[in-house]
mmCIF file of all heavy atoms in Angstrom:
data_model
loop_
_atom_site.group_PDB
_atom_site.id
_atom_site.type_symbol
_atom_site.label_atom_id
_atom_site.label_comp_id
_atom_site.label_asym_id
_atom_site.label_seq_id
_atom_site.Cartn_x
_atom_site.Cartn_y
_atom_site.Cartn_z
ATOM 1 N N GLY A 1 -22.398 9.570 6.501
ATOM 2 C CA GLY A 1 -23.581 9.544 5.681
ATOM 3 C C GLY A 1 -24.770 10.175 6.378
ATOM 4 O O GLY A 1 -24.878 10.135 7.604
ATOM 5 N N ASP A 2 -25.635 10.762 5.562
ATOM 6 C CA ASP A 2 -26.788 11.509 6.155
ATOM 7 C C ASP A 2 -27.824 11.766 5.080
ATOM 8 O O ASP A 2 -27.586 11.470 3.873
ATOM 9 C CB ASP A 2 -26.296 12.791 6.766
ATOM 10 C CG ASP A 2 -27.148 13.323 7.861
ATOM 11 O OD1 ASP A 2 -28.313 12.850 8.013
ATOM 12 O OD2 ASP A 2 -26.719 14.244 8.612
ATOM 13 N N LEU A 3 -28.913 12.384 5.480
ATOM 14 C CA LEU A 3 -29.900 12.889 4.593
ATOM 15 C C LEU A 3 -29.564 14.368 4.308
ATOM 16 O O LEU A 3 -29.389 15.164 5.271
ATOM 17 C CB LEU A 3 -31.349 12.814 5.199
ATOM 18 C CG LEU A 3 -32.469 13.516 4.498
ATOM 19 C CD1 LEU A 3 -32.661 12.893 3.099
ATOM 20 C CD2 LEU A 3 -33.724 13.449 5.300
ATOM 21 N N VAL A 4 -29.478 14.719 3.046
ATOM 22 C CA VAL A 4 -29.108 16.090 2.661
ATOM 23 C C VAL A 4 -29.995 16.540 1.520
ATOM 24 O O VAL A 4 -30.446 15.730 0.688
ATOM 25 C CB VAL A 4 -27.622 16.182 2.313
ATOM 26 C CG1 VAL A 4 -27.336 15.270 1.100
ATOM 27 C CG2 VAL A 4 -27.185 17.603 2.062
ATOM 28 N N GLN A 5 -30.270 17.854 1.477
ATOM 29 C CA GLN A 5 -31.101 18.348 0.408
ATOM 30 C C GLN A 5 -30.350 18.501 -0.879
ATOM 31 O O GLN A 5 -29.112 18.685 -0.867
ATOM 32 C CB GLN A 5 -31.696 19.753 0.835
ATOM 33 C CG GLN A 5 -32.690 19.646 1.993
ATOM 34 C CD GLN A 5 -33.400 20.967 2.178
ATOM 35 O OE1 GLN A 5 -32.963 21.988 1.744
ATOM 36 N NE2 GLN A 5 -34.535 20.901 2.849
ATOM 37 N N PRO A 6 -31.036 18.443 -2.030
ATOM 38 C CA PRO A 6 -30.390 18.668 -3.269
ATOM 39 C C PRO A 6 -29.646 20.031 -3.306
ATOM 40 O O PRO A 6 -30.159 21.019 -2.746
ATOM 41 C CB PRO A 6 -31.574 18.694 -4.308
ATOM 42 C CG PRO A 6 -32.533 17.825 -3.698
ATOM 43 C CD PRO A 6 -32.480 18.092 -2.187
ATOM 44 N N GLY A 7 -28.417 20.011 -3.836
ATOM 45 C CA GLY A 7 -27.573 21.203 -3.855
ATOM 46 C C GLY A 7 -26.646 21.313 -2.640
ATOM 47 O O GLY A 7 -25.764 22.139 -2.598
ATOM 48 N N GLY A 8 -26.885 20.447 -1.676
ATOM 49 C CA GLY A 8 -26.116 20.522 -0.449
ATOM 50 C C GLY A 8 -24.774 19.790 -0.550
ATOM 51 O O GLY A 8 -24.409 19.271 -1.631
ATOM 52 N N SER A 9 -24.082 19.750 0.572
ATOM 53 C CA SER A 9 -22.731 19.171 0.677
ATOM 54 C C SER A 9 -22.691 18.225 1.798
ATOM 55 O O SER A 9 -23.478 18.295 2.793
ATOM 56 C CB SER A 9 -21.663 20.233 0.849
ATOM 57 O OG SER A 9 -21.572 21.100 -0.276
ATOM 58 N N LEU A 10 -21.724 17.272 1.723
ATOM 59 C CA LEU A 10 -21.534 16.262 2.801
ATOM 60 C C LEU A 10 -20.116 15.811 2.719
ATOM 61 O O LEU A 10 -19.508 15.760 1.603
ATOM 62 C CB LEU A 10 -22.498 15.116 2.544
ATOM 63 C CG LEU A 10 -22.876 14.229 3.735
ATOM 64 C CD1 LEU A 10 -23.569 15.026 4.825
ATOM 65 C CD2 LEU A 10 -23.799 13.113 3.287
ATOM 66 N N ARG A 11 -19.502 15.506 3.856
ATOM 67 C CA ARG A 11 -18.176 14.894 3.852
ATOM 68 C C ARG A 11 -18.229 13.578 4.531
ATOM 69 O O ARG A 11 -18.637 13.417 5.701
ATOM 70 C CB ARG A 11 -17.154 15.853 4.579
ATOM 71 C CG ARG A 11 -15.745 15.342 4.394
ATOM 72 C CD ARG A 11 -14.703 16.270 4.992
ATOM 73 N NE ARG A 11 -14.465 16.000 6.393
ATOM 74 C CZ ARG A 11 -13.256 16.221 7.012
ATOM 75 N NH1 ARG A 11 -12.217 16.606 6.297
ATOM 76 N NH2 ARG A 11 -13.129 15.936 8.261
ATOM 77 N N LEU A 12 -17.742 12.580 3.808
ATOM 78 C CA LEU A 12 -17.640 11.203 4.328
ATOM 79 C C LEU A 12 -16.216 10.957 4.818
ATOM 80 O O LEU A 12 -15.215 11.536 4.266
ATOM 81 C CB LEU A 12 -17.963 10.207 3.259
ATOM 82 C CG LEU A 12 -19.329 10.321 2.568
ATOM 83 C CD1 LEU A 12 -19.517 9.209 1.541
ATOM 84 C CD2 LEU A 12 -20.440 10.411 3.562
ATOM 85 N N SER A 13 -16.100 10.074 5.813
ATOM 86 C CA SER A 13 -14.778 9.693 6.365
ATOM 87 C C SER A 13 -14.685 8.222 6.334
ATOM 88 O O SER A 13 -15.640 7.460 6.391
ATOM 89 C CB SER A 13 -14.657 10.195 7.812
ATOM 90 O OG SER A 13 -14.815 11.612 7.897
ATOM 91 N N CYS A 14 -13.403 7.762 6.270
ATOM 92 C CA CYS A 14 -13.110 6.321 6.318
ATOM 93 C C CYS A 14 -11.849 6.163 7.123
ATOM 94 O O CYS A 14 -10.789 6.664 6.799
ATOM 95 C CB CYS A 14 -12.887 5.764 4.915
ATOM 96 S SG CYS A 14 -12.325 4.068 4.870
ATOM 97 N N ALA A 15 -12.005 5.431 8.266
ATOM 98 C CA ALA A 15 -10.933 5.116 9.135
ATOM 99 C C ALA A 15 -10.316 3.749 8.746
ATOM 100 O O ALA A 15 -11.077 2.764 8.683
ATOM 101 C CB ALA A 15 -11.367 5.147 10.595
ATOM 102 N N ALA A 16 -9.018 3.707 8.552
ATOM 103 C CA ALA A 16 -8.362 2.490 8.089
ATOM 104 C C ALA A 16 -7.391 1.961 9.112
ATOM 105 O O ALA A 16 -6.754 2.751 9.859
ATOM 106 C CB ALA A 16 -7.649 2.732 6.735
ATOM 107 N N SER A 17 -7.213 0.638 9.127
ATOM 108 C CA SER A 17 -6.258 -0.008 10.018
ATOM 109 C C SER A 17 -5.835 -1.319 9.493
ATOM 110 O O SER A 17 -6.540 -1.898 8.624
ATOM 111 C CB SER A 17 -6.839 -0.122 11.444
ATOM 112 O OG SER A 17 -7.983 -0.882 11.447
ATOM 113 N N GLY A 18 -4.706 -1.854 10.001
ATOM 114 C CA GLY A 18 -4.301 -3.173 9.647
ATOM 115 C C GLY A 18 -3.392 -3.352 8.429
ATOM 116 O O GLY A 18 -3.078 -4.476 8.006
ATOM 117 N N PHE A 19 -2.942 -2.198 7.879
ATOM 118 C CA PHE A 19 -2.008 -2.261 6.726
ATOM 119 C C PHE A 19 -1.247 -0.946 6.716
ATOM 120 O O PHE A 19 -1.637 0.016 7.339
ATOM 121 C CB PHE A 19 -2.798 -2.481 5.406
ATOM 122 C CG PHE A 19 -3.737 -1.349 5.016
ATOM 123 C CD1 PHE A 19 -3.375 -0.382 4.114
ATOM 124 C CD2 PHE A 19 -4.996 -1.286 5.555
ATOM 125 C CE1 PHE A 19 -4.232 0.656 3.770
ATOM 126 C CE2 PHE A 19 -5.854 -0.243 5.271
ATOM 127 C CZ PHE A 19 -5.487 0.720 4.371
ATOM 128 N N PRO A 20 -0.119 -0.903 5.959
ATOM 129 C CA PRO A 20 0.696 0.318 5.925
ATOM 130 C C PRO A 20 0.027 1.387 5.094
ATOM 131 O O PRO A 20 0.313 1.583 3.915
ATOM 132 C CB PRO A 20 1.978 -0.202 5.301
ATOM 133 C CG PRO A 20 1.651 -1.414 4.578
ATOM 134 C CD PRO A 20 0.531 -2.023 5.299
ATOM 135 N N PHE A 21 -0.812 2.109 5.718
ATOM 136 C CA PHE A 21 -1.741 3.020 5.072
ATOM 137 C C PHE A 21 -1.119 3.937 4.060
ATOM 138 O O PHE A 21 -1.632 4.123 2.945
ATOM 139 C CB PHE A 21 -2.456 3.861 6.156
ATOM 140 C CG PHE A 21 -3.460 4.850 5.650
ATOM 141 C CD1 PHE A 21 -4.775 4.481 5.411
ATOM 142 C CD2 PHE A 21 -3.095 6.141 5.482
ATOM 143 C CE1 PHE A 21 -5.699 5.365 4.954
ATOM 144 C CE2 PHE A 21 -4.033 7.072 4.994
ATOM 145 C CZ PHE A 21 -5.304 6.691 4.768
ATOM 146 N N SER A 22 -0.010 4.592 4.395
ATOM 147 C CA SER A 22 0.549 5.632 3.570
ATOM 148 C C SER A 22 1.097 5.059 2.257
ATOM 149 O O SER A 22 1.426 5.828 1.345
ATOM 150 C CB SER A 22 1.670 6.388 4.340
ATOM 151 O OG SER A 22 2.759 5.473 4.616
ATOM 152 N N LEU A 23 1.262 3.761 2.153
ATOM 153 C CA LEU A 23 1.838 3.143 0.955
ATOM 154 C C LEU A 23 0.788 2.682 -0.057
ATOM 155 O O LEU A 23 1.178 2.178 -1.089
ATOM 156 C CB LEU A 23 2.697 1.956 1.356
ATOM 157 C CG LEU A 23 3.877 2.230 2.315
ATOM 158 C CD1 LEU A 23 4.654 0.962 2.648
ATOM 159 C CD2 LEU A 23 4.764 3.326 1.760
ATOM 160 N N TYR A 24 -0.462 2.801 0.269
ATOM 161 C CA TYR A 24 -1.532 2.209 -0.546
ATOM 162 C C TYR A 24 -2.469 3.243 -1.096
ATOM 163 O O TYR A 24 -2.772 4.260 -0.473
ATOM 164 C CB TYR A 24 -2.255 1.130 0.284
ATOM 165 C CG TYR A 24 -1.507 -0.126 0.352
ATOM 166 C CD1 TYR A 24 -0.413 -0.268 1.188
ATOM 167 C CD2 TYR A 24 -1.793 -1.158 -0.532
ATOM 168 C CE1 TYR A 24 0.346 -1.413 1.193
ATOM 169 C CE2 TYR A 24 -1.047 -2.341 -0.542
ATOM 170 C CZ TYR A 24 0.029 -2.478 0.321
ATOM 171 O OH TYR A 24 0.756 -3.601 0.302
ATOM 172 N N ASP A 25 -2.990 2.844 -2.294
ATOM 173 C CA ASP A 25 -4.052 3.649 -2.891
ATOM 174 C C ASP A 25 -5.379 3.295 -2.234
ATOM 175 O O ASP A 25 -5.619 2.083 -1.873
ATOM 176 C CB ASP A 25 -4.220 3.311 -4.430
ATOM 177 C CG ASP A 25 -2.939 3.575 -5.170
ATOM 178 O OD1 ASP A 25 -1.978 4.235 -4.652
ATOM 179 O OD2 ASP A 25 -2.911 3.172 -6.398
ATOM 180 N N LEU A 26 -6.285 4.238 -2.055
ATOM 181 C CA LEU A 26 -7.580 3.955 -1.491
ATOM 182 C C LEU A 26 -8.641 4.567 -2.382
ATOM 183 O O LEU A 26 -8.347 5.498 -3.170
ATOM 184 C CB LEU A 26 -7.728 4.535 -0.088
ATOM 185 C CG LEU A 26 -6.969 3.637 0.940
ATOM 186 C CD1 LEU A 26 -5.694 4.342 1.386
ATOM 187 C CD2 LEU A 26 -7.836 3.360 2.141
ATOM 188 N N ARG A 27 -9.799 4.035 -2.324
ATOM 189 C CA ARG A 27 -10.863 4.386 -3.242
ATOM 190 C C ARG A 27 -12.261 4.515 -2.515
ATOM 191 O O ARG A 27 -12.418 3.925 -1.464
ATOM 192 C CB ARG A 27 -11.047 3.306 -4.322
ATOM 193 C CG ARG A 27 -9.786 3.121 -5.151
ATOM 194 C CD ARG A 27 -9.828 1.841 -5.929
ATOM 195 N NE ARG A 27 -8.522 1.556 -6.536
ATOM 196 C CZ ARG A 27 -7.544 0.971 -5.949
ATOM 197 N NH1 ARG A 27 -7.665 0.547 -4.658
ATOM 198 N NH2 ARG A 27 -6.368 0.760 -6.534
#
């Protein structure tokens, strides 16, 4: 997360652990 100007782009990341990641839907 960050401050970005209108019209700009940003990429968010989410690191997961503690469950069989590849078998689950994420949102």
Side-chain angles (χ1 to χ4, degrees):
D2 205 347
L3 171 64
V4 61
Q5 291 192 342
S9 296
L10 204 59
R11 189 175 88 148
L12 306 182
S13 301
C14 173
S17 60
F19 64 99
F21 180 85
S22 64
L23 302 181
Y24 280 79
D25 301 351
L26 286 104
R27 300 164 189 84

